[in-house]
Amino acid sequence: MAAATGEVYGLTADTHGAFKKISEIDNVAVCGMAAGYGTTYVVTQPICLQGASVSETPAKTWAFDWVEDEETGEKSLVPRLMDTEFSDMSRAKERVQMIAQGYTHTLALTDSGKVYAMGQSFYGSTGHGGSKSSDIFQEIAALKGDSFKYVACGKHCSLVIAQDNSVFCWGENFSGEAGIFSPVEATPRFSPLLTKRIIRKVSFGDKHAIAC
């Protein structure tokens, strides 16, 4: 949870049902958040108090890792800045605008409308083709040349919306959750069924999705 005053709060088993302030992340503007099976991401920018535009300051992406206390054995989520994973994006001078998390894969949308994917590919969930996995964010080749405005992840599937409202989906579709016609697609496929409805937002469950 992100507060308007710049604090970020987390809710995990070790907080016993109460939101706990994450002290490592403070006085920031939160651009995007995503929580998945074992990882949580927060994209932040510093809050500018001297009249400078937030867009002029570099964005930072944090990942939350489970860390076990050696004395108590209790596990807690500890944030770390992600640098290596964004190396390709940094070289291209791209900045994360939105992030989405699946079971083992992650999508990142940049401010220029490009889509990058990282993680372990099940049923082609990363969109890089086949079972190709990646330890760093790489631009999805099949989406190059188009500009996008929204990304979403299901358990093992993905969806993106282009600036012209075209919808592309890929990954696992055994229950029809990806909105495509085949049970599995390892690369992005245009979805005429969803495109004609002008989708704005999508939220995935384990084997289903809702859209508005």
Side-chain angles (χ1 to χ4, degrees):
M1 182 181 73
T5 50
E7 296 92 5
V8 177
Y9 294 83
L11 180 65
T12 62
D14 67 305
T15 65
H16 306 291
F19 279 102
K20 180 181 179 181
K21 181 180 177 180
I22 301 172
S23 58
E24 293 88 345
I25 303 178
D26 196 12
N27 195 35
V28 295
V30 175
C31 310
M33 305 176 74
Y37 174 71
T39 309
T40 299
Y41 296 100
V42 177
V43 183
T44 68
Q45 290 176 321
I47 292 178
C48 300
L49 302 178
Q50 304 300 323
S53 169
V54 170
S55 62
E56 296 172 356
T57 60
K60 297 180 179 180
T61 302
W62 301 77
F64 291 76
D65 301 317
W66 283 104
V67 177
E68 183 175 340
D69 188 287
E70 295 181 357
E71 295 182 358
T72 65
E74 292 186 358
K75 292 183 178 180
S76 60
L77 285 173
V78 177
R80 62 178 174 85
L81 272 174
M82 298 180 69
D83 294 318
T84 303
E85 294 91 338
F86 286 89
S87 56
D88 279 10
M89 204 179 296
S90 298
R91 281 193 291 269
K93 296 183 179 180
E94 296 285 352
R95 185 172 57 187
V96 177
Q97 175 182 327
M98 184 180 184
I99 198 160
Q101 173 73 15
Y103 190 72
T104 59
H105 73 290
T106 308
L107 296 184
L109 175 68
T110 70
D111 52 4
S112 67
K114 296 179 180 179
V115 180
Y116 288 72
M118 181 189 81
Q120 189 172 359
S121 181
F122 284 99
Y123 306 106
S125 56
T126 61
H128 292 313
S131 58
K132 184 179 179 181
S133 302
S134 177
D135 293 330
I136 64 172
F137 280 100
Q138 295 180 324
E139 186 176 1
I140 298 176
L143 298 177
K144 288 183 178 180
D146 290 320
S147 180
F148 296 86
K149 60 182 179 180
Y150 187 85
V151 296
C153 291
K155 184 177 180 180
H156 296 310
C157 61
S158 302
L159 175 148
V160 295
I161 303 176
Q163 293 291 349
D164 64 0
N165 294 317
S166 297
V167 179
F168 295 81
C169 311
W170 64 93
E172 179 186 5
N173 189 50
F174 296 150
S175 302
E177 63 270 37
I180 47 183
F181 299 111
S182 56
V184 175
E185 287 288 354
T187 54
R189 290 289 182 266
F190 173 71
S191 174
L193 178 65
L194 295 177
T195 297
K196 71 178 182 180
R197 299 184 182 276
I198 310 181
I199 302 299
R200 295 181 299 169
K201 294 182 179 181
V202 176
S203 181
F204 283 97
D206 185 18
K207 297 290 184 180
H208 69 286
I210 58 174
C212 66

